[in-house]
Amino acid sequence: MKLDGTTNEARDILSNRLVTGAVFWLPAIALVASGFLDIGQGWRTAVWIVALTTMGAGCIVNALRCGRVHCYATGPFFLIMAMVALLYGLDLVQLGKHGWNLIAATVLVGAIALYWLPEVFFGRYRPGR
């Protein structure tokens, strides 16, 4: 419990469905939709950068707010993947003709692993937060 009487869970943005939807599910839906829509490389790059940055920033804010363990890993991961999307979208990194699929698979597997594994080993919240 915090000095102000709130619990980690009460401060966890993942306990609020509306915020979770806006910060995590809408960007995830945008990522998936951009794969099915016939949009250009520039628009796809922009969608991926905004979506991944939104999710990464949301995780970092949540880690600072409530000490949610997986957010310490997923926040930087999503921001790094936003940089990869930017570099690929600008043709500064060559990932082949299926580069977006490679980035998507990395985001999917990484997000699942980094969401689940840290909390299995270290618990849901950092002690003393």
Side-chain angles (χ1 to χ4, degrees):
M1 186 176 296
K2 301 276 186 196
L3 293 176
D4 64 2
T6 60
T7 62
N8 288 354
E9 190 170 349
R11 297 174 56 80
D12 189 346
I13 63 174
L14 294 175
S15 65
N16 182 322
R17 289 184 182 197
L18 185 60
V19 174
T20 300
V23 175
F24 300 105
W25 288 110
L26 283 178
I29 290 167
L31 293 176
V32 172
S34 73
F36 290 102
L37 299 174
D38 188 22
I39 59 176
Q41 179 87 342
W43 281 108
R44 181 165 287 120
T45 302
V47 167
W48 280 68
I49 292 168
V50 170
L52 290 167
T53 300
T54 300
M55 293 190 298
C59 288
I60 289 171
V61 166
N62 202 40
L64 296 173
R65 277 178 56 95
C66 70
R68 186 78 186 243
V69 169
H70 81 255
C71 289
Y72 288 96
T74 54
F77 171 72
F78 286 135
L79 295 177
I80 289 167
M81 293 309 297
M83 288 300 300
V84 171
L86 172 65
L87 294 173
Y88 179 68
L90 294 175
D91 287 327
L92 296 174
V93 171
Q94 302 301 315
L95 299 176
K97 66 179 181 173
H98 300 291
W100 289 113
N101 292 338
L102 178 61
I103 295 170
T106 303
V107 168
L108 180 63
V109 172
I112 291 169
L114 293 173
Y115 178 89
W116 184 72
L117 289 174
E119 293 188 4
V120 166
F121 292 108
F122 303 110
R124 181 170 284 183
Y125 300 103
R126 283 186 52 199
R129 293 277 312 154

